[in-house]
Amino acid sequence: MSQPIPRKTDSYDFMVKVLILGDSAVGKTCILNRFCDDSFGPSAGLSTVGVDLKYKTLECQGKRVKLQIWDTAGQEKFRSIVNTYYKGALGIVLVYSINDKKSFINVESWLKQIANNAPTAAVVILVANKTDLTEQERIVKASDGEKLAELHNIQFIEVSAKTGDHIEETFFDLAKDIKDRILEDPKLLNMNQSTNTNQGPRVMKLDPHLKSQQRKSVSGPGTEKVDEKCKC
């Protein structure tokens, strides 16, 4: 009996574009590094210049979803560069820091940019980073983030790139939600050719109290990590 041919590490069913947006120094790069590399190194605190890119492939309910994740600069001088990357994005992670009131206030400005530039089918999630800080250091309450997300009909979750708390849940549920939308409307895979759809932003249902599920990751030289166990 013939044996099934092993799938290559870089094989996938869908490749989707995801943007990480938000002000400078809110931890966008740290979130990306924690998710893709499970690392939180000395580069934390350094601002991204322009745009950075990483890939990670997730096994999700029998489908392999390859996330093409763009880490964008939050500085005002790079906003015009960032705008060019909205085209074709099916997922947007909008980040602010719980100890930076200005980054929270600027979420409204980012949401306007998203409304003006991103495909209307994009999944948007509001992420409050740095929950590893003490309550004395916290400036933005969790309830404030929840209210803002509810106002704009998007999901909200608090995470810590430093400890990894709720980082995986954010991206795994993002991938699942995007996968479900693609299965509903396969034409979304052609988003690079057209950003116009008739569907509004998808509201994700995340449980912020959900504990990380055990997953096995495999990686090799020159390849992105692949999570083989994704119960999403």
Side-chain angles (χ1 to χ4, degrees), residues 26-84:
V26 295
K28 299 186 299 297
T29 300
C30 293
I31 288 174
L32 179 62
N33 289 340
R34 174 61 72 185
F35 176 60
C36 290
D37 307 320
D38 194 23
S39 66
F40 186 85
S43 61
L46 298 179
S47 296
T48 299
V49 177
V51 179
D52 196 6
L53 171 66
K54 287 192 178 184
Y55 294 85
K56 187 164 183 177
T57 303
L58 308 179
E59 188 79 25
C60 190
Q61 294 179 330
K63 297 293 183 181
R64 290 167 66 88
V65 182
K66 185 171 185 177
L67 300 181
Q68 181 191 67
I69 310 173
W70 296 83
D71 172 23
T72 61
Q75 300 98 315
E76 185 67 33
K77 62 182 178 180
F78 290 114
R79 292 290 176 87
S80 60
I81 297 176
V82 172
N83 287 348
T84 65

Side-chain angles (χ1 to χ4, degrees), residues 97-169:
S97 173
I98 67 168
N99 70 334
D100 184 345
K101 185 70 172 182
K102 183 178 179 181
S103 72
F104 177 71
I105 293 173
N106 287 343
V107 165
E108 291 280 5
S109 175
W110 284 106
L111 287 169
K112 289 178 181 178
Q113 273 203 40
I114 292 170
N116 292 333
N117 296 283
T120 55
V123 178
V124 182
I125 178 172
L126 180 61
V127 174
N129 189 31
K130 305 187 182 181
T131 56
D132 52 278
L133 298 175
T134 65
E135 283 303 311
Q136 289 73 27
E137 294 173 300
R138 176 191 282 270
I139 297 175
V140 184
K141 298 178 181 178
S143 58
D144 293 334
E146 291 171 352
K147 291 176 183 177
L148 181 60
E150 183 177 0
L151 177 64
H152 291 278
N153 196 35
I154 59 176
Q155 188 59 37
F156 169 76
I157 191 169
E158 291 199 322
V159 307
S160 169
K162 184 174 183 179
T163 66
D165 194 29
H166 298 140
I167 295 293
E168 284 193 348
E169 285 80 2

